[in-house]
Amino acid sequence: MSVIPFGIAFYLAKHPNAVQLGTNHGTLINPPLVTAPDQFSGFDEFSAEHLKELQGHWVLINLLPNEGCNEGCQQGLYKTQQITLMMGKDIARIRRLALIYRPFEQPMSDPWASDLRLLKAIPNESLQLLLKRLPQGEPGVLLVMDPLGNLMMHYSAGYDPYQVRDDLSKLLRISQIG
């Protein structure tokens, strides 16, 4: 009987991927991708003035690799809006960012054009190269950036906003920053 625990420990040491630890729903980016504030430039006047608000806050980043905002993109933006509202008292610790790869003319009829809490930014070339390491997929991909500027969690398109809220709640509860 005393040999069994040692046998299990030996097996797990040789096969570390046999047991999946963690309760997160998103995919952790390991190692985190480090960004700098100068890698973002404002898409419009409002965003250019308020991009400095990203520092020191948790940021939900919607990737918009295509020109314009199609149905998947609009659903992703709506979901992040709902996630921030679900966070309750922690809403002040979170910012939302739409990362637009290619600038385009934004029609005012777009539902996200009138969203006053959504910041829109254009990544520079070095950040675009950094983001190519992540699985892009279809529009609606979500990234979570910590207050230090590290891209640390990834959600594929079609993610469940309740799962993101759960992960974000855990992160905010244990975080000493932001």
Side-chain angles (χ1 to χ4, degrees):
M1 290 301 276
S2 63
V3 176
I4 293 173
F6 291 107
I8 293 172
F10 180 76
Y11 174 78
L12 292 177
K14 294 293 183 186
H15 304 93
N17 294 331
V19 177
Q20 294 294 328
L21 300 175
T23 59
N24 54 304
H25 301 287
T27 306
L28 287 174
I29 301 171
N30 193 8
L33 302 178
V34 181
T35 64
D38 63 341
Q39 291 179 315
F40 302 97
S41 58
F43 178 73
D44 54 13
E45 255 183 71
F46 174 78
S47 298
E49 291 175 16
H50 294 90
L51 268 179
K52 61 186 172 287
E53 288 184 17
L54 298 180
Q55 295 176 338
H57 291 92
W58 290 87
V59 183
L60 298 176
I61 301 176
N62 293 94
L63 297 181
L64 308 176
N66 304 326
E67 288 187 16
C69 189
N70 61 14
E71 184 67 29
C73 155
Q74 290 178 8
Q75 285 180 358
L77 292 169
Y78 178 74
K79 286 178 185 179
T80 56
Q81 182 181 24
Q82 296 305 310
I83 291 166
T84 55
L85 294 174
M86 286 189 281
M87 293 307 296
K89 66 178 178 144
D90 288 326
I91 194 171
R93 298 174 68 186
I94 302 168
R95 296 292 181 266
R96 294 172 47 230
L97 176 70
L99 207 53
I100 303 163
Y101 283 55
R102 292 183 213 101
F104 59 91
E105 192 62 37
Q106 175 183 340
M108 289 309 292
S109 62
D110 276 351
W112 66 294
S114 61
D115 189 351
L116 298 178
R117 291 187 49 89
L118 177 68
L119 297 174
K120 302 165 193 92
I122 301 168
N124 68 5
E125 289 182 26
S126 66
L127 182 58
Q128 285 186 20
L129 288 173
L130 194 65
L131 291 172
K132 287 190 182 204
R133 294 184 191 174
L134 301 173
Q136 299 295 315
E138 56 198 60
V141 171
L142 178 69
L143 298 174
V144 177
M145 184 168 71
D146 70 10
L148 299 176
N150 300 316
L151 297 174
M152 46 87 56
M153 195 169 277
H154 175 270
Y155 293 90
S156 299
Y159 60 87
D160 182 9
Y162 292 102
Q163 292 178 344
V164 176
R165 182 208 52 197
D166 292 345
D167 287 348
L168 204 52
S169 294
K170 290 175 196 171
L171 287 169
L172 293 173
R173 187 173 48 246
I174 62 174
S175 173
Q176 299 296 317
I177 53 176

